[in-house]
Amino acid sequence: MNAPTDTAHPALTPAPWATDPYANALRNGHGPLFLRRTDGWLLPLDVERWCADADTADLSALRRCEGPVLDVGCGPGRLVAELAAHGHRALGIDVSEAAVARTLRLGGSALHRSVFDPLPGEGRWGTVLLIDGNIGIGGDPHALLHRAAELLAPGGLLIAETTAQDIDERVLVRLDDGRGGTGAETGTETGAGAGAGAGAGSGAGTAAGGTRSGAATEALFPWARLSTPALLRYARPPHWQPVDQWETGGRPFVSLRLSSTARTTNQSADAANSPPVISSQFPRNTSGESPLADS
């Protein structure tokens, strides 16, 4: 097993997923797009799959959803749109305006927000999704799990996609389109919260040449990659209870249930005044708590 690594530096300006390479990839419906580590190693991002319809692996996660669903880092919106098409209440959030716009065009509901921003229905969501590698958001699994606990209702469900490799890695990365373009290099304005983008997927990385110097370092942001065993080490009882682990199409998933007695500070202060959802943001739920039939 790889030893945990943690090279994140709080003084570095995090790169949002609102830069040209990501927005262009979503508009085109394909890559190339990568996360590039500071040592030059590349993690390919599966833009084509994100921009396609929900596949069998996606459906294996969606059919486990309970109650209103918050898709964190929804990207171009295939999961939110699939849930909405089956009458299930679902909201996507993403820091990329291009991702939010595409989600809305697909018929889903989405907000231009970071997971760490104030969100509707905090402490009332039935399910939080961290798919396509979004367990890596912020590069701090402890912080992201704490935030998920704030968003979920007691007894709520967290469904996360993990990596196939046994890995616990926290590193600095930047978006790379394979042609030398990043927001920092092209002068694109950046200004979103740390690690609040669409997912990085869980595919294997590719060795690459050295890093570029100069302005590109301004685009560095913290990211994490976790296998299921690593995630389970972070999500320990009594606050989290493992529910299920499975793999479909080579993509591993894990579901965790928040303790029914769990109550964060935010939930204690705000839950009584926090509605489960903003009703105008969702389609009418016509199919109960189970969004999808078994696939």
Side-chain angles (χ1 to χ4, degrees):
M1 182 187 74
N2 291 10
T5 58
D6 190 352
T7 59
H9 194 297
L12 289 170
T13 302
W17 292 73
T19 53
D20 283 347
Y22 184 57
N24 289 340
L26 293 191
R27 281 191 290 267
N28 297 332
H30 61 80
L33 191 66
F34 308 90
L35 290 183
R36 178 186 284 268
R37 266 185 349 206
T38 55
D39 62 1
W41 184 92
L42 294 175
L43 176 68
L45 304 182
D46 200 350
V47 178
E48 291 85 353
R49 177 171 61 78
W50 299 348
C51 291
D53 294 336
D55 62 17
T56 301
D58 296 326
L59 297 177
S60 75
L62 297 186
R63 70 168 180 254
R64 289 168 163 86
C65 292
E66 302 171 357
V69 179
L70 181 67
D71 185 8
V72 174
C74 65
R78 75 187 189 283
L79 304 183
V80 175
E82 184 72 20
L83 289 164
H86 287 78
H88 201 70
R89 294 182 295 172
L91 176 67
I93 58 169
D94 205 290
V95 298
S96 165
E97 291 183 354
V100 170
R102 184 161 179 148
T103 301
L104 296 175
R105 287 197 299 271
L106 290 178
S109 298
L111 294 176
H112 185 215
R113 304 274 180 87
S114 161
V115 65
F116 299 107
D117 289 338
L119 295 171
E122 295 202 13
R124 301 283 183 166
W125 292 96
T127 303
V128 167
L129 295 177
L130 290 168
I131 307 299
D132 298 329
N134 282 330
I135 191 65
I137 286 174
D140 185 341
H142 283 299
L144 188 57
L145 285 169
H146 178 77
R147 181 57 176 148
E150 291 179 335
L151 295 168
L152 284 167
L157 200 64
L158 172 66
I159 299 178
E161 182 176 352
T162 56
T163 66
Q165 302 83 22
D166 190 4
I167 191 169
D168 181 352
E169 179 181 69
R170 283 154 283 155
V171 293
L172 292 170
V173 297
R174 60 183 174 85
L175 285 167
D176 192 312
D177 61 7
R179 296 182 290 271
T182 67
E185 291 165 330
T186 61
T188 302
E189 181 178 355
T190 61
S202 55
T206 304
T211 58
R212 302 181 185 91
S213 60
T217 59
E218 296 176 11
L220 289 170
F221 60 97
W223 196 257
R225 296 174 67 228
L226 301 179
S227 62
T228 293
L231 176 55
L232 293 177
R233 287 194 295 271
Y234 288 106
R236 295 182 177 231
H239 297 301
W240 296 99
Q241 296 294 333
V243 175
D244 198 5
Q245 301 174 42
W246 72 98
E247 183 173 318
T248 304
R251 295 168 57 194
F253 300 86
V254 60
S255 60
L256 303 165
R257 192 171 299 282
L258 184 66
S259 168
S260 60
T261 60
R263 183 67 66 183
T264 67
T265 302
N266 284 1
Q267 287 173 330
S268 299
D270 301 331
N273 298 318
S274 179
V277 293
I278 296 176
S279 60
S280 62
Q281 292 177 326
F282 300 103
R284 182 170 172 266
N285 185 354
T286 58
S287 62
E289 293 303 308
S290 179
L292 299 166
D294 289 351
S295 57

